[in-house]
Amino acid sequence: MDPIAGVAIFALLFACLYLAAWIMTMLLMTKVAEEKGYGHIKGQLWFIGLFALIFTVPLIVAALPDKTGRTAASKPAASSPTSDLPAL
């Protein structure tokens, strides 16, 4: 096999894998943005992701504040600070 053909096959394989990773990243990030309450900016995220590096959109989505108003799913606060302590 010609060495140039081997490099071309490797480059094509790498490009296909990068494209697949980019698409999966964009789908995940648009879903996360929608869950945060920013479903209306999907097109803008795809546009930015098309021309920017693959890690730019995740940084943007991570910086978006949560507009859905979800609260922590933890147990309610105790009535006194010592009520969580074990009895002696």
Side-chain angles (χ1 to χ4, degrees):
M1 183 200 261
D2 187 23
I4 295 176
V7 171
I9 291 172
F10 177 76
L12 182 64
L13 178 66
F14 180 78
C16 289
L17 291 175
Y18 186 85
L19 180 64
W22 176 78
I23 290 172
M24 288 189 302
T25 301
M26 290 305 299
L27 290 173
L28 178 66
M29 289 300 106
T30 54
K31 181 180 175 189
V32 170
E34 189 174 4
E35 289 176 358
K36 283 184 155 191
Y38 293 92
H40 62 282
I41 65 168
K42 283 183 183 179
Q44 293 169 345
L45 291 174
W46 277 97
F47 182 76
I48 292 169
L50 181 63
F51 295 106
L53 297 175
I54 196 168
F55 58 83
T56 305
V57 174
L59 289 174
I60 292 170
V61 172
L64 293 173
D66 194 3
K67 290 179 15 178
T68 58
R70 288 187 286 178
T71 59
S74 61
K75 61 182 180 179
S79 58
S80 70
T82 58
S83 63
D84 289 339
L85 298 174
L88 296 177

Coordinates of all heavy atoms in Angstrom, one line a residue:
M1 N 0.8 -1.2 0.0 CA 0.0 0.0 0.0 C 0.9 1.2 0.0 O 1.9 1.3 0.7 CB -0.9 0.0 1.2 CG -1.9 1.2 1.2 SD -2.6 1.6 2.8 CE -4.1 0.9 2.8
D2 N 0.5 2.2 -0.7 CA 1.2 3.5 -0.8 C 1.1 4.2 0.5 O 0.0 4.3 1.1 CB 0.6 4.3 -2.0 CG 1.4 5.5 -2.3 OD1 2.6 5.6 -1.9 OD2 0.8 6.5 -2.9
P3 N 2.2 4.8 1.0 CA 2.1 5.5 2.3 C 1.2 6.7 2.3 O 0.6 7.0 3.3 CB 3.6 6.0 2.5 CG 4.4 5.2 1.6 CD 3.6 4.7 0.5
I4 N 1.1 7.3 1.1 CA 0.2 8.5 1.0 C -1.3 8.0 1.1 O -2.1 8.7 1.8 CB 0.5 9.3 -0.3 CG1 1.9 9.9 -0.2 CG2 -0.6 10.3 -0.5 CD1 2.3 10.5 -1.5
A5 N -1.6 6.9 0.6 CA -2.9 6.3 0.7 C -3.2 6.0 2.1 O -4.4 6.2 2.6 CB -3.1 5.1 -0.2
G6 N -2.3 5.5 2.8 CA -2.5 5.1 4.3 C -2.8 6.4 5.1 O -3.6 6.4 5.9
V7 N -2.0 7.4 4.8 CA -2.2 8.7 5.5 C -3.6 9.3 5.2 O -4.3 9.8 6.0 CB -1.1 9.7 5.2 CG1 -1.4 11.1 5.8 CG2 0.2 9.2 5.8
A8 N -4.0 9.2 3.9 CA -5.3 9.7 3.5 C -6.4 8.9 4.1 O -7.4 9.5 4.6 CB -5.4 9.6 2.0
I9 N -6.3 7.6 4.2 CA -7.3 6.8 4.9 C -7.4 7.1 6.4 O -8.5 7.3 6.9 CB -7.0 5.3 4.7 CG1 -7.3 4.9 3.2 CG2 -7.9 4.4 5.6 CD1 -6.8 3.5 2.9
F10 N -6.2 7.3 7.0 CA -6.2 7.7 8.4 C -6.9 9.1 8.6 O -7.7 9.2 9.6 CB -4.8 7.7 9.0 CG -4.7 8.2 10.4 CD1 -5.0 7.3 11.4 CD2 -4.2 9.4 10.7 CE1 -5.0 7.7 12.7 CE2 -4.1 9.9 12.0 CZ -4.5 9.0 13.0
A11 N -6.6 10.0 7.8 CA -7.1 11.4 7.9 C -8.7 11.3 7.7 O -9.4 12.0 8.4 CB -6.5 12.3 6.9
L12 N -9.1 10.5 6.7 CA -10.6 10.4 6.5 C -11.3 9.7 7.7 O -12.3 10.2 8.1 CB -10.8 9.6 5.2 CG -12.3 9.4 4.8 CD1 -12.9 10.7 4.5 CD2 -12.4 8.4 3.7
L13 N -10.6 8.7 8.3 CA -11.2 8.1 9.4 C -11.3 9.0 10.6 O -12.3 9.1 11.3 CB -10.4 6.8 9.8 CG -10.8 6.1 11.0 CD1 -12.2 5.4 10.8 CD2 -9.8 5.0 11.4
F14 N -10.2 9.8 10.8 CA -10.2 10.8 11.9 C -11.2 11.8 11.7 O -11.9 12.2 12.6 CB -8.8 11.4 12.0 CG -8.7 12.4 13.1 CD1 -8.5 12.0 14.4 CD2 -8.8 13.8 12.8 CE1 -8.5 13.0 15.4 CE2 -8.7 14.7 13.8 CZ -8.5 14.3 15.1
A15 N -11.4 12.3 10.5 CA -12.4 13.3 10.2 C -13.8 12.8 10.4 O -14.6 13.5 11.0 CB -12.3 13.8 8.7
C16 N -14.1 11.6 10.1 CA -15.4 11.0 10.3 C -15.7 10.8 11.8 O -16.8 11.1 12.3 CB -15.5 9.6 9.6 SG -15.6 9.7 7.8
L17 N -14.7 10.4 12.6 CA -14.8 10.3 14.0 C -15.0 11.6 14.7 O -15.8 11.8 15.6 CB -13.6 9.5 14.6 CG -13.5 8.0 14.3 CD1 -12.2 7.5 14.8 CD2 -14.7 7.3 14.8
Y18 N -14.3 12.6 14.2 CA -14.4 14.0 14.8 C -15.8 14.5 14.5 O -16.4 15.1 15.3 CB -13.3 14.9 14.2 CG -13.3 16.3 14.8 CD1 -12.7 16.5 16.0 CD2 -14.0 17.3 14.3 CE1 -12.7 17.7 16.6 CE2 -14.0 18.6 14.8 CZ -13.3 18.8 16.0 OH -13.4 20.0 16.6
L19 N -16.3 14.3 13.3 CA -17.6 14.7 12.9 C -18.7 14.1 13.8 O -19.6 14.7 14.2 CB -17.9 14.5 11.4 CG -19.3 14.9 10.9 CD1 -19.4 16.4 11.0 CD2 -19.5 14.4 9.5
A20 N -18.5 12.8 14.0 CA -19.5 12.1 14.9 C -19.5 12.6 16.3 O -20.5 12.8 16.9 CB -19.2 10.6 14.9
A21 N -18.3 12.9 16.8 CA -18.1 13.4 18.2 C -18.7 14.8 18.2 O -19.4 15.2 19.2 CB -16.7 13.5 18.6
W22 N -18.5 15.6 17.2 CA -19.1 17.0 17.1 C -20.6 16.9 17.1 O -21.3 17.7 17.9 CB -18.6 17.7 15.9 CG -19.2 19.0 15.7 CD1 -18.8 20.2 16.4 CD2 -20.2 19.4 14.9 NE1 -19.6 21.2 16.0 CE2 -20.5 20.8 15.0 CE3 -21.0 18.7 13.9 CZ2 -21.5 21.5 14.3 CZ3 -22.0 19.4 13.2 CH2 -22.2 20.7 13.4
I23 N -21.2 16.0 16.3 CA -22.7 15.9 16.3 C -23.2 15.5 17.6 O -24.2 16.0 18.1 CB -23.1 15.0 15.1 CG1 -22.8 15.7 13.8 CG2 -24.6 14.6 15.2 CD1 -23.0 14.8 12.6
M24 N -22.6 14.5 18.2 CA -23.1 14.0 19.5 C -23.0 15.1 20.6 O -23.8 15.3 21.4 CB -22.3 12.8 20.0 CG -22.7 11.5 19.2 SD -22.0 10.0 19.8 CE -20.3 10.3 19.8
T25 N -21.9 15.9 20.6 CA -21.7 17.0 21.5 C -22.8 18.0 21.3 O -23.3 18.5 22.3 CB -20.3 17.6 21.3 OG1 -19.3 16.6 21.6 CG2 -20.1 18.8 22.3
M26 N -23.0 18.4 20.1 CA -24.0 19.4 19.8 C -25.4 18.9 20.2 O -26.2 19.7 20.8 CB -24.0 19.8 18.3 CG -22.8 20.6 17.9 SD -22.5 22.1 18.9 CE -24.0 23.0 18.5
L27 N -25.8 17.7 20.0 CA -27.1 17.2 20.4 C -27.2 17.2 21.9 O -28.3 17.6 22.4 CB -27.3 15.8 19.8 CG -27.5 15.6 18.3 CD1 -27.5 14.2 17.9 CD2 -28.8 16.3 17.9
L28 N -26.2 16.8 22.6 CA -26.2 16.8 24.1 C -26.3 18.2 24.6 O -27.1 18.5 25.5 CB -25.0 16.1 24.6 CG -24.8 16.0 26.1 CD1 -26.0 15.2 26.7 CD2 -23.5 15.5 26.5
M29 N -25.5 19.1 24.0 CA -25.5 20.5 24.6 C -26.8 21.2 24.3 O -27.3 22.0 25.1 CB -24.4 21.3 24.0 CG -23.0 20.8 24.5 SD -22.8 21.0 26.3 CE -22.9 19.4 26.8
T30 N -27.5 21.0 23.1 CA -28.8 21.6 22.9 C -29.8 21.0 23.8 O -30.7 21.7 24.3 CB -29.2 21.4 21.4 OG1 -29.1 20.1 21.1 CG2 -28.3 22.2 20.5
K31 N -29.7 19.7 24.2 CA -30.6 19.1 25.1 C -30.4 19.7 26.5 O -31.4 20.0 27.2 CB -30.4 17.6 25.2 CG -31.4 16.9 26.1 CD -31.1 15.4 26.1 CE -32.0 14.8 27.2 NZ -31.7 13.4 27.4
V32 N -29.2 19.9 26.9 CA -28.9 20.5 28.2 C -29.4 21.9 28.3 O -30.0 22.4 29.3 CB -27.4 20.4 28.6 CG1 -27.1 21.3 29.8 CG2 -27.0 19.0 28.8
A33 N -29.2 22.7 27.2 CA -29.7 24.1 27.2 C -31.2 24.1 27.2 O -31.7 25.0 27.9 CB -29.2 24.8 25.9
E34 N -31.8 23.2 26.6 CA -33.3 23.1 26.6 C -33.8 22.8 28.0 O -34.8 23.4 28.5 CB -33.8 22.1 25.6 CG -35.3 22.1 25.5 CD -35.8 21.1 24.4 OE1 -34.9 20.4 23.8 OE2 -37.0 21.1 24.1
E35 N -33.1 21.9 28.7 CA -33.5 21.6 30.1 C -33.2 22.7 31.1 O -33.9 22.9 32.1 CB -32.7 20.3 30.6 CG -33.1 19.1 29.9 CD -32.3 17.9 30.3 OE1 -31.3 18.0 31.1 OE2 -32.6 16.8 29.9
K36 N -32.3 23.6 30.7 CA -32.0 24.8 31.6 C -33.0 25.9 31.3 O -33.0 26.9 31.9 CB -30.6 25.3 31.3 CG -29.5 24.5 32.0 CD -28.2 25.1 31.8 CE -27.2 24.8 32.9 NZ -26.0 25.6 32.8
G37 N -33.8 25.7 30.3 CA -34.8 26.8 29.9 C -34.4 27.6 28.8 O -35.0 28.7 28.6
Y38 N -33.5 27.2 28.0 CA -33.0 27.9 26.8 C -33.2 27.2 25.5 O -32.4 27.1 24.7 CB -31.5 28.3 27.0 CG -31.2 29.2 28.1 CD1 -30.9 28.7 29.4 CD2 -31.3 30.6 27.9 CE1 -30.7 29.6 30.4 CE2 -31.0 31.4 29.0 CZ -30.7 30.9 30.2 OH -30.5 31.8 31.2
G39 N -34.4 26.6 25.3 CA -34.8 25.9 24.1 C -34.8 26.8 22.9 O -34.7 26.3 21.8
H40 N -35.0 28.1 23.1 CA -35.1 29.0 21.9 C -33.8 29.4 21.3 O -33.7 30.0 20.3 CB -35.8 30.3 22.4 CG -35.1 31.0 23.5 ND1 -35.1 30.6 24.8 CD2 -34.3 32.1 23.4 CE1 -34.4 31.5 25.5 NE2 -33.9 32.4 24.7
I41 N -32.7 29.0 21.9 CA -31.4 29.3 21.3 C -30.7 28.1 20.7 O -29.5 28.2 20.4 CB -30.4 30.0 22.4 CG1 -30.1 29.0 23.5 CG2 -31.0 31.2 22.9 CD1 -28.9 29.5 24.4
K42 N -31.4 27.1 20.4 CA -30.8 25.9 19.7 C -30.1 26.2 18.4 O -29.0 25.8 18.2 CB -31.8 24.8 19.5 CG -32.3 24.0 20.6 CD -33.3 23.0 20.1 CE -33.8 22.2 21.3 NZ -34.8 21.2 20.8
G43 N -30.7 27.0 17.6 CA -30.2 27.4 16.3 C -28.9 28.2 16.5 O -27.9 28.0 15.7
Q44 N -28.9 29.1 17.5 CA -27.7 29.9 17.7 C -26.5 29.0 18.2 O -25.4 29.2 17.8 CB -28.0 31.0 18.8 CG -29.0 32.0 18.3 CD -29.4 32.9 19.4 OE1 -29.3 32.6 20.6 NE2 -30.1 34.0 19.0
L45 N -26.8 28.0 19.0 CA -25.8 27.1 19.5 C -25.2 26.3 18.3 O -24.0 26.1 18.2 CB -26.3 26.2 20.6 CG -26.6 26.9 21.9 CD1 -27.3 25.9 22.9 CD2 -25.4 27.5 22.5
W46 N -26.1 25.8 17.4 CA -25.6 25.1 16.3 C -24.8 26.0 15.4 O -23.8 25.5 14.8 CB -26.8 24.5 15.5 CG -27.3 23.2 16.0 CD1 -28.4 23.0 16.9 CD2 -26.8 21.9 15.8 NE1 -28.5 21.7 17.2 CE2 -27.5 21.0 16.5 CE3 -25.7 21.4 15.1 CZ2 -27.3 19.6 16.5 CZ3 -25.4 20.0 15.0 CH2 -26.2 19.2 15.8
F47 N -25.2 27.2 15.2 CA -24.4 28.1 14.4 C -23.0 28.4 15.0 O -22.0 28.3 14.3 CB -25.1 29.5 14.2 CG -24.4 30.4 13.3 CD1 -24.5 30.3 12.0 CD2 -23.8 31.5 13.9 CE1 -23.8 31.2 11.1 CE2 -23.1 32.4 13.1 CZ -23.1 32.2 11.7
I48 N -23.0 28.6 16.3 CA -21.7 28.8 17.0 C -20.8 27.6 16.9 O -19.6 27.6 16.6 CB -21.9 29.2 18.4 CG1 -22.5 30.6 18.5 CG2 -20.6 29.2 19.2 CD1 -23.0 31.0 19.9
G49 N -21.5 26.4 17.1 CA -20.7 25.1 17.1 C -20.2 24.8 15.7 O -19.2 24.1 15.5
L50 N -20.9 25.3 14.7 CA -20.4 25.1 13.3 C -19.1 25.8 13.0 O -18.2 25.2 12.3 CB -21.5 25.5 12.3 CG -21.2 25.3 10.8 CD1 -21.1 23.8 10.5 CD2 -22.3 25.9 10.0
F51 N -18.9 26.9 13.5 CA -17.7 27.7 13.2 C -16.7 27.8 14.3 O -15.6 28.3 14.1 CB -18.1 29.1 12.8 CG -18.9 29.2 11.5 CD1 -20.3 29.4 11.6 CD2 -18.3 28.9 10.3 CE1 -21.0 29.4 10.4 CE2 -19.0 28.9 9.1 CZ -20.4 29.2 9.2
A52 N -17.0 27.3 15.5 CA -16.1 27.4 16.7 C -15.5 26.0 16.9 O -15.9 25.0 16.3 CB -16.9 27.9 17.9
L53 N -14.7 25.9 17.9 CA -14.1 24.6 18.3 C -15.1 23.8 19.0 O -16.1 24.3 19.5 CB -12.9 24.9 19.2 CG -11.7 25.6 18.5 CD1 -10.6 25.9 19.6 CD2 -11.1 24.8 17.4
I54 N -14.9 22.5 19.2 CA -15.8 21.6 19.7 C -16.2 21.9 21.2 O -17.2 21.5 21.7 CB -15.4 20.1 19.5 CG1 -16.5 19.1 19.7 CG2 -14.2 19.8 20.4 CD1 -16.2 17.7 19.2
F55 N -15.2 22.5 21.9 CA -15.5 22.7 23.4 C -16.1 24.1 23.6 O -16.4 24.4 24.8 CB -14.2 22.5 24.2 CG -13.1 23.4 23.7 CD1 -13.0 24.7 24.2 CD2 -12.1 23.0 22.9 CE1 -12.0 25.5 23.8 CE2 -11.1 23.8 22.5 CZ -11.0 25.1 23.0
T56 N -16.3 24.9 22.6 CA -16.9 26.2 22.8 C -18.3 26.2 23.3 O -18.7 26.9 24.2 CB -16.8 27.1 21.5 OG1 -15.4 27.1 21.1 CG2 -17.2 28.5 21.8
V57 N -19.2 25.4 22.6 CA -20.6 25.3 23.0 C -20.8 24.7 24.4 O -21.6 25.3 25.2 CB -21.4 24.6 21.9 CG1 -22.8 24.3 22.3 CG2 -21.3 25.3 20.6
P58 N -20.1 23.7 24.8 CA -20.2 23.2 26.2 C -19.9 24.3 27.2 O -20.5 24.4 28.3 CB -19.3 22.0 26.3 CG -19.2 21.5 24.9 CD -19.3 22.7 24.0
L59 N -18.9 25.1 26.9 CA -18.6 26.2 27.8 C -19.7 27.2 27.9 O -20.0 27.7 29.0 CB -17.3 26.9 27.4 CG -16.0 26.1 27.6 CD1 -14.8 26.8 27.0 CD2 -15.8 25.9 29.1
I60 N -20.3 27.5 26.8 CA -21.4 28.5 26.8 C -22.6 27.9 27.5 O -23.2 28.6 28.4 CB -21.8 28.8 25.3 CG1 -20.7 29.6 24.6 CG2 -23.1 29.6 25.3 CD1 -20.9 29.8 23.1
V61 N -22.9 26.7 27.3 CA -24.1 26.1 28.0 C -23.8 25.9 29.5 O -24.8 26.2 30.3 CB -24.4 24.7 27.3 CG1 -25.5 24.0 28.1 CG2 -24.9 24.9 25.9
A62 N -22.6 25.6 29.9 CA -22.3 25.5 31.3 C -22.4 26.9 32.0 O -22.8 27.0 33.2 CB -20.9 25.0 31.5
A63 N -22.2 28.0 31.3 CA -22.3 29.3 31.8 C -23.7 29.8 31.9 O -24.0 30.8 32.6 CB -21.4 30.3 31.0
L64 N -24.7 29.2 31.2 CA -26.0 29.7 31.3 C -26.7 29.4 32.6 O -26.6 28.3 33.2 CB -26.9 29.0 30.2 CG -26.6 29.2 28.7 CD1 -27.4 28.3 27.8 CD2 -26.9 30.7 28.4
P65 N -27.3 30.4 33.2 CA -28.0 30.1 34.5 C -29.3 29.3 34.3 O -29.8 29.3 33.2 CB -28.4 31.5 35.0 CG -28.4 32.4 33.8 CD -27.4 31.8 32.8
D66 N -29.7 28.6 35.3 CA -30.9 27.7 35.2 C -32.1 28.6 35.3 O -32.3 29.2 36.4 CB -30.8 26.6 36.2 CG -31.8 25.5 36.0 OD1 -32.5 25.5 35.0 OD2 -31.8 24.6 36.9
K67 N -33.0 28.6 34.3 CA -34.2 29.3 34.3 C -35.4 28.5 34.7 O -36.5 29.0 34.8 CB -34.5 30.0 33.0 CG -33.5 31.1 32.6 CD -33.7 31.8 31.3 CE -34.9 31.6 30.5 NZ -34.9 32.4 29.3
T68 N -35.3 27.2 34.9 CA -36.4 26.4 35.2 C -36.9 26.4 36.6 O -38.0 26.0 36.9 CB -36.1 24.9 34.8 OG1 -35.0 24.5 35.6 CG2 -35.8 24.8 33.3
G69 N -36.1 26.9 37.5 CA -36.6 27.0 38.9 C -36.6 25.7 39.7 O -37.3 25.6 40.6
R70 N -35.8 24.8 39.2 CA -35.7 23.5 39.9 C -35.0 23.7 41.3 O -34.2 24.5 41.4 CB -34.9 22.4 39.1 CG -35.7 21.9 37.9 CD -34.9 20.8 37.3 NE -33.8 21.4 36.6 CZ -32.9 20.6 36.0 NH1 -33.0 19.3 36.0 NH2 -31.9 21.2 35.4
T71 N -35.5 22.9 42.3 CA -34.9 23.0 43.6 C -34.1 21.7 43.9 O -34.3 20.7 43.2 CB -35.9 23.2 44.7 OG1 -36.9 22.1 44.6 CG2 -36.7 24.5 44.5
A72 N -33.3 21.7 44.9 CA -32.5 20.6 45.2 C -33.5 19.5 45.7 O -34.4 19.7 46.4 CB -31.5 20.9 46.3
A73 N -33.2 18.3 45.4 CA -34.0 17.1 45.8 C -33.5 16.5 47.0 O -33.4 15.3 47.1 CB -34.1 16.1 44.6
S74 N -33.1 17.3 48.0 CA -32.6 16.8 49.2 C -33.7 16.8 50.3 O -34.8 17.3 50.1 CB -31.4 17.6 49.7 OG -31.8 19.0 49.9
K75 N -33.4 16.2 51.4 CA -34.4 16.2 52.5 C -34.6 17.6 53.0 O -33.7 18.4 53.0 CB -34.0 15.2 53.6 CG -32.7 15.6 54.2 CD -32.3 14.5 55.3 CE -31.0 14.9 55.9 NZ -30.6 14.0 56.9
P76 N -35.8 17.9 53.6 CA -36.0 19.2 54.1 C -35.1 19.5 55.3 O -34.6 18.7 56.0 CB -37.5 19.1 54.6 CG -37.8 17.7 54.6 CD -36.9 17.0 53.7
A77 N -34.9 20.8 55.5 CA -34.0 21.3 56.6 C -34.6 20.8 57.9 O -35.8 20.9 58.2 CB -33.9 22.8 56.5
A78 N -33.7 20.5 58.8 CA -34.1 20.1 60.1 C -34.6 21.3 60.9 O -34.2 22.4 60.7 CB -32.9 19.4 60.8
S79 N -35.4 21.0 62.0 CA -35.9 22.2 62.8 C -34.8 22.8 63.7 O -34.8 24.0 64.0 CB -37.0 21.7 63.7 OG -36.6 20.6 64.5
S80 N -33.8 22.0 64.1 CA -32.7 22.6 64.9 C -31.4 22.0 64.3 O -31.3 20.9 63.8 CB -32.9 22.2 66.4 OG -32.7 20.8 66.5
P81 N -30.3 22.7 64.6 CA -29.0 22.3 64.0 C -28.5 21.0 64.6 O -27.8 20.2 64.1 CB -28.1 23.4 64.4 CG -28.9 24.5 65.0 CD -30.2 24.0 65.2
T82 N -29.0 20.6 65.8 CA -28.5 19.4 66.5 C -29.4 18.2 66.2 O -29.1 17.1 66.7 CB -28.4 19.6 68.0 OG1 -29.7 20.0 68.5 CG2 -27.4 20.7 68.3
S83 N -30.5 18.3 65.5 CA -31.4 17.2 65.3 C -30.9 16.2 64.4 O -31.3 15.0 64.4 CB -32.8 17.7 64.8 OG -32.6 18.3 63.5
D84 N -29.9 16.5 63.6 CA -29.2 15.5 62.7 C -28.1 14.7 63.4 O -27.6 13.7 62.9 CB -28.6 16.2 61.5 CG -29.7 16.7 60.5 OD1 -30.8 16.1 60.6 OD2 -29.4 17.5 59.7
L85 N -27.8 15.1 64.6 CA -26.7 14.4 65.3 C -27.3 13.1 65.9 O -28.4 13.1 66.4 CB -26.1 15.3 66.4 CG -25.5 16.6 65.9 CD1 -25.1 17.5 67.1 CD2 -24.3 16.3 65.1
P86 N -26.4 12.1 66.0 CA -26.9 10.9 66.7 C -27.0 11.0 68.2 O -26.4 11.8 68.8 CB -25.8 9.9 66.3 CG -24.6 10.7 66.1 CD -25.1 12.0 65.5
A87 N -28.0 10.2 68.7 CA -28.2 10.3 70.1 C -27.1 9.5 70.9 O -26.6 8.5 70.4 CB -29.5 9.7 70.5
L88 N -26.7 10.0 72.0 CA -25.6 9.4 72.8 C -26.2 8.6 74.0 O -27.2 8.9 74.5 CB -24.6 10.4 73.3 CG -23.8 11.1 72.2 CD1 -22.9 12.2 72.9 CD2 -23.0 10.1 71.5

